[in-house]
Amino acid sequence: MASQEAARRLEAAGGGSYRDYLNRYNVIYIDFSVEPRDCSSYSQYIDRVQSGINFDLAEAYPECGLDQSRATWDLLTDIFQKTDDKFIFVIDEWDTVFHLPYITEEEKQSYLRFLRSLLKGQVYAELAYMTGILPIAKYSDGSEINMFLEYNMATSERFSEYFGFLDFEVDGIYHIYQQTVKNARITREELAGWYDGYQTAAGSRIYNPRSVVCALTDNQLRNYWTSSGTYDSIFHYIKDRITDMQDDLALLVSGEAVPADIQEYAAASMRLSTKDEIYSALVVYGLLTYEDGCVFIPNRELMESYFYLLPGTQVGRCADPGIKDRQHAGRGNPPD
């Protein structure tokens, strides 16, 4: 009862079909970024996923007498046949496999077949919601996982307001910050300058949600981007082409936009040989934003990362005169 009362206070409760679907489906959540301990092979990786789901299904449906050694999709089919229960799948970071160093090209294809067997055309699958950075369509040339509708911030207008925090949402969080944090140091304008600046295809203005929350929690403005091998690799491509890109970098760091032909699938291969491919990958990973055929650095948080790529730069010299001007002019915004 307590959970239902809390749910009624959510915006979703205003939907006309809210009560029709409330508590109607079990949810299977899979975070593909979580690896087994000391994992060094695809079989270890995917066995952990299947074994975990199978164990949960056997525990939730003891009356079905499930054999946990069978394939997950077979167990789910048995459950549906005996109970008519359907499932909603929430899959986070579906593309992790494509970044793991021990996964071969052949095993990546096996992973796509795993997703196909689990989800495609299955009577027990009511809905699958899948998130990740790399485009699904890149890997569905055949029939593996071509059953998804795909949305991204840079080129898809639908759902664009959900890729980050909108202004009114940040206003609400900032009000809580002012009421609860002693010696609150961050101004609302500073919050926008540091973490706003991303632009969606629909023209929505959004903020980097993680950075906003971290800054207000810590009561400190700074770069909250978590360094990773993927991001470092992309910046490595820029360094390799520093001579070709030096003029563009100077423009970007001064707050100007640079023309670019965004190619959605460039980030998938990570074989970036042209400036447009590099810029495309930077947009996909949220390290640049894209609008009207141009890319630009969205905010102060990311400005210093680019500034350090310029020859002869030093710590503390970062300036961002263009960012504030763009925001007041209505350009730019959302994060990932």
mmCIF file of all heavy atoms in Angstrom, residues 217-262:
data_model
loop_
_atom_site.group_PDB
_atom_site.id
_atom_site.type_symbol
_atom_site.label_atom_id
_atom_site.label_comp_id
_atom_site.label_asym_id
_atom_site.label_seq_id
_atom_site.Cartn_x
_atom_site.Cartn_y
_atom_site.Cartn_z
ATOM 1 N N THR A 217 25.348 18.444 -4.339
ATOM 2 C CA THR A 217 25.623 17.596 -3.181
ATOM 3 C C THR A 217 26.936 17.983 -2.518
ATOM 4 O O THR A 217 27.031 18.057 -1.280
ATOM 5 C CB THR A 217 25.688 16.110 -3.613
ATOM 6 O OG1 THR A 217 24.430 15.735 -4.190
ATOM 7 C CG2 THR A 217 25.981 15.211 -2.419
ATOM 8 N N ASP A 218 27.961 18.261 -3.337
ATOM 9 C CA ASP A 218 29.286 18.622 -2.810
ATOM 10 C C ASP A 218 29.399 20.101 -2.466
ATOM 11 O O ASP A 218 30.373 20.515 -1.845
ATOM 12 C CB ASP A 218 30.373 18.283 -3.832
ATOM 13 C CG ASP A 218 30.536 16.785 -4.035
ATOM 14 O OD1 ASP A 218 29.950 16.011 -3.251
ATOM 15 O OD2 ASP A 218 31.249 16.391 -4.977
ATOM 16 N N ASN A 219 28.408 20.915 -2.936
ATOM 17 C CA ASN A 219 28.482 22.369 -2.759
ATOM 18 C C ASN A 219 29.748 22.917 -3.420
ATOM 19 O O ASN A 219 30.412 23.801 -2.901
ATOM 20 C CB ASN A 219 28.453 22.745 -1.273
ATOM 21 C CG ASN A 219 28.137 24.215 -1.056
ATOM 22 O OD1 ASN A 219 27.512 24.863 -1.898
ATOM 23 N ND2 ASN A 219 28.562 24.756 0.081
ATOM 24 N N GLN A 220 30.058 22.381 -4.612
ATOM 25 C CA GLN A 220 31.286 22.762 -5.301
ATOM 26 C C GLN A 220 31.129 22.581 -6.800
ATOM 27 O O GLN A 220 30.673 21.543 -7.280
ATOM 28 C CB GLN A 220 32.469 21.915 -4.817
ATOM 29 C CG GLN A 220 33.799 22.291 -5.460
ATOM 30 C CD GLN A 220 34.938 21.439 -4.968
ATOM 31 O OE1 GLN A 220 34.730 20.509 -4.179
ATOM 32 N NE2 GLN A 220 36.142 21.747 -5.401
ATOM 33 N N LEU A 221 31.520 23.603 -7.556
ATOM 34 C CA LEU A 221 31.521 23.536 -9.005
ATOM 35 C C LEU A 221 32.854 22.980 -9.486
ATOM 36 O O LEU A 221 33.914 23.519 -9.181
ATOM 37 C CB LEU A 221 31.308 24.931 -9.603
ATOM 38 C CG LEU A 221 29.956 25.584 -9.343
ATOM 39 C CD1 LEU A 221 30.024 27.074 -9.641
ATOM 40 C CD2 LEU A 221 28.868 24.926 -10.177
ATOM 41 N N ARG A 222 32.802 21.881 -10.218
ATOM 42 C CA ARG A 222 34.012 21.329 -10.817
ATOM 43 C C ARG A 222 33.618 20.300 -11.871
ATOM 44 O O ARG A 222 32.446 20.047 -12.087
ATOM 45 C CB ARG A 222 34.923 20.693 -9.759
ATOM 46 C CG ARG A 222 34.361 19.499 -9.024
ATOM 47 C CD ARG A 222 35.346 19.006 -7.978
ATOM 48 N NE ARG A 222 34.869 17.852 -7.219
ATOM 49 C CZ ARG A 222 35.013 16.585 -7.592
ATOM 50 N NH1 ARG A 222 35.619 16.299 -8.740
ATOM 51 N NH2 ARG A 222 34.553 15.598 -6.844
ATOM 52 N N ASN A 223 34.615 19.737 -12.514
ATOM 53 C CA ASN A 223 34.370 18.745 -13.548
ATOM 54 C C ASN A 223 34.062 17.397 -12.916
ATOM 55 O O ASN A 223 34.909 16.812 -12.244
ATOM 56 C CB ASN A 223 35.602 18.644 -14.457
ATOM 57 C CG ASN A 223 35.328 17.805 -15.702
ATOM 58 O OD1 ASN A 223 34.503 16.901 -15.679
ATOM 59 N ND2 ASN A 223 36.022 18.118 -16.769
ATOM 60 N N TYR A 224 32.846 16.914 -13.132
ATOM 61 C CA TYR A 224 32.437 15.640 -12.554
ATOM 62 C C TYR A 224 32.400 14.514 -13.581
ATOM 63 O O TYR A 224 31.911 13.439 -13.288
ATOM 64 C CB TYR A 224 31.059 15.769 -11.889
ATOM 65 C CG TYR A 224 31.116 16.557 -10.604
ATOM 66 C CD1 TYR A 224 30.812 17.920 -10.594
ATOM 67 C CD2 TYR A 224 31.488 15.959 -9.412
ATOM 68 C CE1 TYR A 224 30.860 18.655 -9.417
ATOM 69 C CE2 TYR A 224 31.540 16.689 -8.233
ATOM 70 C CZ TYR A 224 31.228 18.029 -8.243
ATOM 71 O OH TYR A 224 31.289 18.750 -7.076
ATOM 72 N N TRP A 225 32.903 14.795 -14.778
ATOM 73 C CA TRP A 225 32.979 13.729 -15.769
ATOM 74 C C TRP A 225 33.909 12.646 -15.261
ATOM 75 O O TRP A 225 35.015 12.910 -14.809
ATOM 76 C CB TRP A 225 33.512 14.254 -17.093
ATOM 77 C CG TRP A 225 32.434 14.773 -17.978
ATOM 78 C CD1 TRP A 225 31.967 16.051 -18.014
ATOM 79 C CD2 TRP A 225 31.684 14.048 -18.948
ATOM 80 N NE1 TRP A 225 30.964 16.160 -18.936
ATOM 81 C CE2 TRP A 225 30.770 14.947 -19.527
ATOM 82 C CE3 TRP A 225 31.684 12.722 -19.372
ATOM 83 C CZ2 TRP A 225 29.877 14.570 -20.510
ATOM 84 C CZ3 TRP A 225 30.798 12.344 -20.361
ATOM 85 C CH2 TRP A 225 29.911 13.255 -20.922
ATOM 86 N N THR A 226 33.462 11.387 -15.361
ATOM 87 C CA THR A 226 34.294 10.267 -14.957
ATOM 88 C C THR A 226 35.123 9.821 -16.142
ATOM 89 O O THR A 226 34.586 9.418 -17.170
ATOM 90 C CB THR A 226 33.433 9.084 -14.472
ATOM 91 O OG1 THR A 226 32.643 9.541 -13.374
ATOM 92 C CG2 THR A 226 34.299 7.924 -14.036
ATOM 93 N N SER A 227 36.435 9.876 -15.988
ATOM 94 C CA SER A 227 37.313 9.454 -17.072
ATOM 95 C C SER A 227 37.155 7.965 -17.320
ATOM 96 O O SER A 227 36.998 7.175 -16.397
ATOM 97 C CB SER A 227 38.768 9.770 -16.723
ATOM 98 O OG SER A 227 39.634 9.346 -17.748
ATOM 99 N N SER A 228 37.167 7.591 -18.583
ATOM 100 C CA SER A 228 37.077 6.173 -18.925
ATOM 101 C C SER A 228 37.941 5.905 -20.132
ATOM 102 O O SER A 228 38.394 6.821 -20.822
ATOM 103 C CB SER A 228 35.636 5.770 -19.244
ATOM 104 O OG SER A 228 35.260 6.295 -20.507
ATOM 105 N N GLY A 229 38.178 4.645 -20.408
ATOM 106 C CA GLY A 229 38.990 4.273 -21.549
ATOM 107 C C GLY A 229 38.420 4.786 -22.853
ATOM 108 O O GLY A 229 39.145 5.216 -23.744
ATOM 109 N N THR A 230 37.074 4.755 -22.971
ATOM 110 C CA THR A 230 36.437 5.195 -24.207
ATOM 111 C C THR A 230 36.654 6.681 -24.431
ATOM 112 O O THR A 230 37.050 7.120 -25.509
ATOM 113 C CB THR A 230 34.929 4.899 -24.173
ATOM 114 O OG1 THR A 230 34.744 3.494 -23.959
ATOM 115 C CG2 THR A 230 34.280 5.304 -25.480
ATOM 116 N N TYR A 231 36.400 7.496 -23.393
ATOM 117 C CA TYR A 231 36.581 8.935 -23.540
ATOM 118 C C TYR A 231 38.049 9.263 -23.803
ATOM 119 O O TYR A 231 38.375 10.099 -24.642
ATOM 120 C CB TYR A 231 36.111 9.658 -22.279
ATOM 121 C CG TYR A 231 34.652 9.452 -21.965
ATOM 122 C CD1 TYR A 231 34.201 9.344 -20.654
ATOM 123 C CD2 TYR A 231 33.703 9.352 -22.977
ATOM 124 C CE1 TYR A 231 32.854 9.141 -20.370
ATOM 125 C CE2 TYR A 231 32.361 9.160 -22.704
ATOM 126 C CZ TYR A 231 31.948 9.056 -21.394
ATOM 127 O OH TYR A 231 30.630 8.857 -21.115
ATOM 128 N N ASP A 232 38.946 8.622 -23.075
ATOM 129 C CA ASP A 232 40.365 8.869 -23.270
ATOM 130 C C ASP A 232 40.791 8.509 -24.683
ATOM 131 O O ASP A 232 41.633 9.177 -25.284
ATOM 132 C CB ASP A 232 41.192 8.063 -22.263
ATOM 133 C CG ASP A 232 41.025 8.578 -20.843
ATOM 134 O OD1 ASP A 232 40.542 9.718 -20.686
ATOM 135 O OD2 ASP A 232 41.363 7.844 -19.895
ATOM 136 N N SER A 233 40.202 7.437 -25.229
ATOM 137 C CA SER A 233 40.542 7.022 -26.590
ATOM 138 C C SER A 233 40.147 8.078 -27.602
ATOM 139 O O SER A 233 40.879 8.359 -28.552
ATOM 140 C CB SER A 233 39.865 5.689 -26.927
ATOM 141 O OG SER A 233 40.349 4.650 -26.103
ATOM 142 N N ILE A 234 38.957 8.674 -27.401
ATOM 143 C CA ILE A 234 38.499 9.690 -28.343
ATOM 144 C C ILE A 234 39.419 10.904 -28.303
ATOM 145 O O ILE A 234 39.811 11.438 -29.344
ATOM 146 C CB ILE A 234 37.047 10.097 -28.028
ATOM 147 C CG1 ILE A 234 36.110 8.908 -28.226
ATOM 148 C CG2 ILE A 234 36.606 11.251 -28.935
ATOM 149 C CD1 ILE A 234 34.684 9.173 -27.835
ATOM 150 N N PHE A 235 39.789 11.333 -27.115
ATOM 151 C CA PHE A 235 40.709 12.462 -27.015
ATOM 152 C C PHE A 235 42.075 12.101 -27.607
ATOM 153 O O PHE A 235 42.785 12.965 -28.121
ATOM 154 C CB PHE A 235 40.850 12.906 -25.556
ATOM 155 C CG PHE A 235 39.731 13.798 -25.108
ATOM 156 C CD1 PHE A 235 38.833 13.377 -24.141
ATOM 157 C CD2 PHE A 235 39.557 15.052 -25.653
ATOM 158 C CE1 PHE A 235 37.788 14.186 -23.729
ATOM 159 C CE2 PHE A 235 38.516 15.873 -25.253
ATOM 160 C CZ PHE A 235 37.621 15.444 -24.288
ATOM 161 N N HIS A 236 42.427 10.815 -27.546
ATOM 162 C CA HIS A 236 43.678 10.365 -28.147
ATOM 163 C C HIS A 236 43.655 10.603 -29.653
ATOM 164 O O HIS A 236 44.668 10.983 -30.254
ATOM 165 C CB HIS A 236 43.907 8.887 -27.842
ATOM 166 C CG HIS A 236 45.140 8.323 -28.458
ATOM 167 N ND1 HIS A 236 46.406 8.631 -27.998
ATOM 168 C CD2 HIS A 236 45.314 7.481 -29.516
ATOM 169 C CE1 HIS A 236 47.310 7.995 -28.732
ATOM 170 N NE2 HIS A 236 46.663 7.292 -29.664
ATOM 171 N N TYR A 237 42.496 10.385 -30.293
ATOM 172 C CA TYR A 237 42.390 10.635 -31.722
ATOM 173 C C TYR A 237 42.622 12.105 -32.037
ATOM 174 O O TYR A 237 43.241 12.454 -33.042
ATOM 175 C CB TYR A 237 41.012 10.211 -32.235
ATOM 176 C CG TYR A 237 40.834 8.725 -32.399
ATOM 177 C CD1 TYR A 237 40.100 7.992 -31.478
ATOM 178 C CD2 TYR A 237 41.407 8.052 -33.474
ATOM 179 C CE1 TYR A 237 39.925 6.621 -31.629
ATOM 180 C CE2 TYR A 237 41.245 6.688 -33.626
ATOM 181 C CZ TYR A 237 40.506 5.976 -32.696
ATOM 182 O OH TYR A 237 40.347 4.621 -32.840
ATOM 183 N N ILE A 238 42.131 12.980 -31.183
ATOM 184 C CA ILE A 238 42.338 14.415 -31.390
ATOM 185 C C ILE A 238 43.818 14.749 -31.288
ATOM 186 O O ILE A 238 44.374 15.484 -32.108
ATOM 187 C CB ILE A 238 41.531 15.238 -30.370
ATOM 188 C CG1 ILE A 238 40.033 14.995 -30.548
ATOM 189 C CG2 ILE A 238 41.843 16.723 -30.516
ATOM 190 C CD1 ILE A 238 39.178 15.733 -29.555
ATOM 191 N N LYS A 239 44.478 14.194 -30.272
ATOM 192 C CA LYS A 239 45.902 14.469 -30.104
ATOM 193 C C LYS A 239 46.715 13.991 -31.300
ATOM 194 O O LYS A 239 47.693 14.619 -31.703
ATOM 195 C CB LYS A 239 46.397 13.800 -28.819
ATOM 196 C CG LYS A 239 45.839 14.427 -27.551
ATOM 197 C CD LYS A 239 46.333 13.699 -26.312
ATOM 198 C CE LYS A 239 45.753 14.308 -25.046
ATOM 199 N NZ LYS A 239 46.185 13.589 -23.826
ATOM 200 N N ASP A 240 46.307 12.859 -31.873
ATOM 201 C CA ASP A 240 47.014 12.340 -33.047
ATOM 202 C C ASP A 240 46.871 13.260 -34.247
ATOM 203 O O ASP A 240 47.722 13.274 -35.137
ATOM 204 C CB ASP A 240 46.473 10.954 -33.417
ATOM 205 C CG ASP A 240 47.040 9.869 -32.523
ATOM 206 O OD1 ASP A 240 47.983 10.163 -31.755
ATOM 207 O OD2 ASP A 240 46.531 8.728 -32.580
ATOM 208 N N ARG A 241 45.776 14.039 -34.261
ATOM 209 C CA ARG A 241 45.530 14.921 -35.404
ATOM 210 C C ARG A 241 45.594 16.383 -34.979
ATOM 211 O O ARG A 241 44.913 17.242 -35.541
ATOM 212 C CB ARG A 241 44.155 14.614 -36.001
ATOM 213 C CG ARG A 241 44.031 13.190 -36.505
ATOM 214 C CD ARG A 241 42.910 13.072 -37.486
ATOM 215 N NE ARG A 241 43.009 14.106 -38.514
ATOM 216 C CZ ARG A 241 42.273 14.100 -39.630
ATOM 217 N NH1 ARG A 241 41.431 13.142 -39.852
ATOM 218 N NH2 ARG A 241 42.386 15.080 -40.503
ATOM 219 N N ILE A 242 46.408 16.659 -33.995
ATOM 220 C CA ILE A 242 46.436 17.999 -33.410
ATOM 221 C C ILE A 242 46.796 19.062 -34.438
ATOM 222 O O ILE A 242 46.271 20.173 -34.403
ATOM 223 C CB ILE A 242 47.405 18.048 -32.199
ATOM 224 C CG1 ILE A 242 47.205 19.335 -31.413
ATOM 225 C CG2 ILE A 242 48.847 17.894 -32.647
ATOM 226 C CD1 ILE A 242 45.877 19.433 -30.729
ATOM 227 N N THR A 243 47.664 18.737 -35.392
ATOM 228 C CA THR A 243 48.043 19.716 -36.408
ATOM 229 C C THR A 243 46.848 20.053 -37.293
ATOM 230 O O THR A 243 46.575 21.219 -37.580
ATOM 231 C CB THR A 243 49.192 19.181 -37.277
ATOM 232 O OG1 THR A 243 50.316 18.890 -36.434
ATOM 233 C CG2 THR A 243 49.605 20.221 -38.311
ATOM 234 N N ASP A 244 46.108 19.022 -37.717
ATOM 235 C CA ASP A 244 44.948 19.238 -38.586
ATOM 236 C C ASP A 244 43.814 19.942 -37.856
ATOM 237 O O ASP A 244 43.054 20.705 -38.475
ATOM 238 C CB ASP A 244 44.425 17.899 -39.120
ATOM 239 C CG ASP A 244 45.434 17.191 -40.008
ATOM 240 O OD1 ASP A 244 46.337 17.873 -40.527
ATOM 241 O OD2 ASP A 244 45.316 15.966 -40.165
ATOM 242 N N MET A 245 43.690 19.695 -36.551
ATOM 243 C CA MET A 245 42.532 20.174 -35.811
ATOM 244 C C MET A 245 42.819 21.384 -34.941
ATOM 245 O O MET A 245 41.936 21.853 -34.237
ATOM 246 C CB MET A 245 41.978 19.038 -34.946
ATOM 247 C CG MET A 245 41.546 17.817 -35.742
ATOM 248 S SD MET A 245 40.797 16.519 -34.737
ATOM 249 C CE MET A 245 39.276 17.334 -34.231
ATOM 250 N N GLN A 246 44.038 21.888 -34.989
ATOM 251 C CA GLN A 246 44.418 22.969 -34.067
ATOM 252 C C GLN A 246 43.539 24.200 -34.252
ATOM 253 O O GLN A 246 43.090 24.805 -33.272
ATOM 254 C CB GLN A 246 45.885 23.335 -34.263
ATOM 255 C CG GLN A 246 46.388 24.357 -33.243
ATOM 256 C CD GLN A 246 47.891 24.510 -33.290
ATOM 257 O OE1 GLN A 246 48.588 23.665 -33.846
ATOM 258 N NE2 GLN A 246 48.388 25.587 -32.716
ATOM 259 N N ASP A 247 43.269 24.581 -35.495
ATOM 260 C CA ASP A 247 42.441 25.767 -35.733
ATOM 261 C C ASP A 247 41.021 25.551 -35.219
ATOM 262 O O ASP A 247 40.414 26.447 -34.614
ATOM 263 C CB ASP A 247 42.415 26.104 -37.224
ATOM 264 C CG ASP A 247 43.751 26.627 -37.742
ATOM 265 O OD1 ASP A 247 44.580 27.023 -36.907
ATOM 266 O OD2 ASP A 247 43.949 26.619 -38.963
ATOM 267 N N ASP A 248 40.475 24.332 -35.455
ATOM 268 C CA ASP A 248 39.132 24.026 -34.955
ATOM 269 C C ASP A 248 39.091 24.065 -33.434
ATOM 270 O O ASP A 248 38.134 24.590 -32.835
ATOM 271 C CB ASP A 248 38.696 22.634 -35.428
ATOM 272 C CG ASP A 248 38.261 22.632 -36.886
ATOM 273 O OD1 ASP A 248 38.321 23.715 -37.518
ATOM 274 O OD2 ASP A 248 37.872 21.569 -37.389
ATOM 275 N N LEU A 249 40.104 23.512 -32.794
ATOM 276 C CA LEU A 249 40.140 23.502 -31.335
ATOM 277 C C LEU A 249 40.198 24.915 -30.776
ATOM 278 O O LEU A 249 39.553 25.220 -29.765
ATOM 279 C CB LEU A 249 41.342 22.690 -30.841
ATOM 280 C CG LEU A 249 41.228 21.172 -30.964
ATOM 281 C CD1 LEU A 249 42.555 20.513 -30.607
ATOM 282 C CD2 LEU A 249 40.117 20.645 -30.065
ATOM 283 N N ALA A 250 40.961 25.770 -31.435
ATOM 284 C CA ALA A 250 41.056 27.159 -30.980
ATOM 285 C C ALA A 250 39.689 27.836 -31.056
ATOM 286 O O ALA A 250 39.301 28.591 -30.152
ATOM 287 C CB ALA A 250 42.083 27.913 -31.817
ATOM 288 N N LEU A 251 38.937 27.557 -32.119
ATOM 289 C CA LEU A 251 37.606 28.125 -32.251
ATOM 290 C C LEU A 251 36.664 27.564 -31.181
ATOM 291 O O LEU A 251 35.904 28.308 -30.554
ATOM 292 C CB LEU A 251 37.038 27.822 -33.647
ATOM 293 C CG LEU A 251 37.649 28.594 -34.813
ATOM 294 C CD1 LEU A 251 37.139 28.033 -36.144
ATOM 295 C CD2 LEU A 251 37.319 30.079 -34.712
ATOM 296 N N LEU A 252 36.728 26.245 -30.973
ATOM 297 C CA LEU A 252 35.850 25.612 -29.988
ATOM 298 C C LEU A 252 36.119 26.160 -28.587
ATOM 299 O O LEU A 252 35.193 26.462 -27.836
ATOM 300 C CB LEU A 252 36.050 24.095 -30.006
ATOM 301 C CG LEU A 252 35.497 23.361 -31.228
ATOM 302 C CD1 LEU A 252 35.984 21.916 -31.251
ATOM 303 C CD2 LEU A 252 33.974 23.397 -31.242
ATOM 304 N N VAL A 253 37.388 26.277 -28.226
ATOM 305 C CA VAL A 253 37.749 26.750 -26.886
ATOM 306 C C VAL A 253 37.371 28.212 -26.690
ATOM 307 O O VAL A 253 37.108 28.651 -25.564
ATOM 308 C CB VAL A 253 39.256 26.510 -26.631
ATOM 309 C CG1 VAL A 253 39.720 27.210 -25.374
ATOM 310 C CG2 VAL A 253 39.538 25.020 -26.533
ATOM 311 N N SER A 254 37.315 28.973 -27.775
ATOM 312 C CA SER A 254 36.906 30.376 -27.655
ATOM 313 C C SER A 254 35.392 30.535 -27.643
ATOM 314 O O SER A 254 34.892 31.646 -27.581
ATOM 315 C CB SER A 254 37.500 31.195 -28.801
ATOM 316 O OG SER A 254 36.935 30.809 -30.045
ATOM 317 N N GLY A 255 34.664 29.395 -27.720
ATOM 318 C CA GLY A 255 33.209 29.439 -27.650
ATOM 319 C C GLY A 255 32.516 29.459 -28.984
ATOM 320 O O GLY A 255 31.303 29.627 -29.042
ATOM 321 N N GLU A 256 33.269 29.280 -30.070
ATOM 322 C CA GLU A 256 32.679 29.284 -31.399
ATOM 323 C C GLU A 256 32.235 27.880 -31.810
ATOM 324 O O GLU A 256 32.671 26.883 -31.239
ATOM 325 C CB GLU A 256 33.691 29.821 -32.419
ATOM 326 C CG GLU A 256 34.129 31.252 -32.170
ATOM 327 C CD GLU A 256 32.970 32.235 -32.290
ATOM 328 O OE1 GLU A 256 32.085 32.000 -33.155
ATOM 329 O OE2 GLU A 256 32.934 33.211 -31.533
ATOM 330 N N ALA A 257 31.377 27.824 -32.816
ATOM 331 C CA ALA A 257 30.924 26.553 -33.375
ATOM 332 C C ALA A 257 31.758 26.199 -34.594
ATOM 333 O O ALA A 257 32.273 27.081 -35.286
ATOM 334 C CB ALA A 257 29.448 26.640 -33.754
ATOM 335 N N VAL A 258 31.884 24.905 -34.862
ATOM 336 C CA VAL A 258 32.668 24.412 -35.987
ATOM 337 C C VAL A 258 31.766 23.532 -36.856
ATOM 338 O O VAL A 258 31.103 22.621 -36.339
ATOM 339 C CB VAL A 258 33.880 23.592 -35.490
ATOM 340 C CG1 VAL A 258 34.579 22.894 -36.651
ATOM 341 C CG2 VAL A 258 34.854 24.495 -34.743
ATOM 342 N N PRO A 259 31.703 23.770 -38.166
ATOM 343 C CA PRO A 259 30.868 22.933 -39.040
ATOM 344 C C PRO A 259 31.295 21.464 -38.981
ATOM 345 O O PRO A 259 32.483 21.145 -38.931
ATOM 346 C CB PRO A 259 31.123 23.525 -40.435
ATOM 347 C CG PRO A 259 31.600 24.915 -40.192
ATOM 348 C CD PRO A 259 32.374 24.855 -38.906
ATOM 349 N N ALA A 260 30.307 20.561 -38.994
ATOM 350 C CA ALA A 260 30.598 19.125 -38.930
ATOM 351 C C ALA A 260 29.453 18.344 -39.541
ATOM 352 O O ALA A 260 28.293 18.737 -39.423
ATOM 353 C CB ALA A 260 30.831 18.682 -37.491
ATOM 354 N N ASP A 261 29.801 17.247 -40.187
ATOM 355 C CA ASP A 261 28.810 16.329 -40.740
ATOM 356 C C ASP A 261 28.724 15.140 -39.794
ATOM 357 O O ASP A 261 29.585 14.266 -39.790
ATOM 358 C CB ASP A 261 29.250 15.867 -42.135
ATOM 359 C CG ASP A 261 28.266 14.886 -42.760
ATOM 360 O OD1 ASP A 261 27.122 14.801 -42.261
ATOM 361 O OD2 ASP A 261 28.648 14.197 -43.731
ATOM 362 N N ILE A 262 27.681 15.122 -38.961
ATOM 363 C CA ILE A 262 27.568 14.097 -37.927
ATOM 364 C C ILE A 262 27.178 12.758 -38.542
ATOM 365 O O ILE A 262 26.215 12.651 -39.292
ATOM 366 C CB ILE A 262 26.533 14.513 -36.861
ATOM 367 C CG1 ILE A 262 27.035 15.765 -36.144
ATOM 368 C CG2 ILE A 262 26.317 13.391 -35.851
ATOM 369 C CD1 ILE A 262 28.383 15.614 -35.489
#
